[in-house]
Amino acid sequence: MIATLENEEATIGLQEVDAQHPFYALSGSDNMIVFTTERYKERPLVVRGPGAGAEVTAAGVFAEIIKIANFLS
């Protein structure tokens, strides 16, 4: 999924990218933000790092369910 903010309009959806695009090399649960601005027009500023992944996300959701159950007890 690629989210875009341009001219105060946000979009999100599937987009095809070629091998020259920074997102092309993403794998697994990696996340990336690419800033294309007047200053970074020719070479966008790229911030890349690991995402939580399925196991970490599931553990976080489960922990929240336990907290809610303990609160309601």
Side-chain angles (χ1 to χ4, degrees):
M1 299 297 279
I2 296 178
T4 307
L5 178 62
E6 190 172 347
N7 298 324
E8 298 183 20
E9 183 176 325
T11 60
I12 186 168
L14 295 175
Q15 293 181 20
E16 184 175 352
V17 296
D18 63 19
Q20 311 312 310
H21 195 282
F23 290 171
Y24 186 82
L26 285 174
S27 64
S29 63
D30 286 354
N31 289 314
M32 181 180 288
I33 300 172
V34 178
F35 296 94
T36 305
T37 65
E38 287 298 320
R39 183 166 296 203
Y40 296 104
K41 187 177 261 184
E42 297 301 317
R43 293 184 58 201
L45 175 64
V46 176
V47 179
R48 179 180 180 172
E55 290 178 13
V56 174
T57 301
V61 170
F62 185 67
E64 292 299 319
I65 292 170
I66 297 299
K67 284 182 188 178
I68 293 168
N70 287 335
F71 179 76
L72 296 175
S73 299

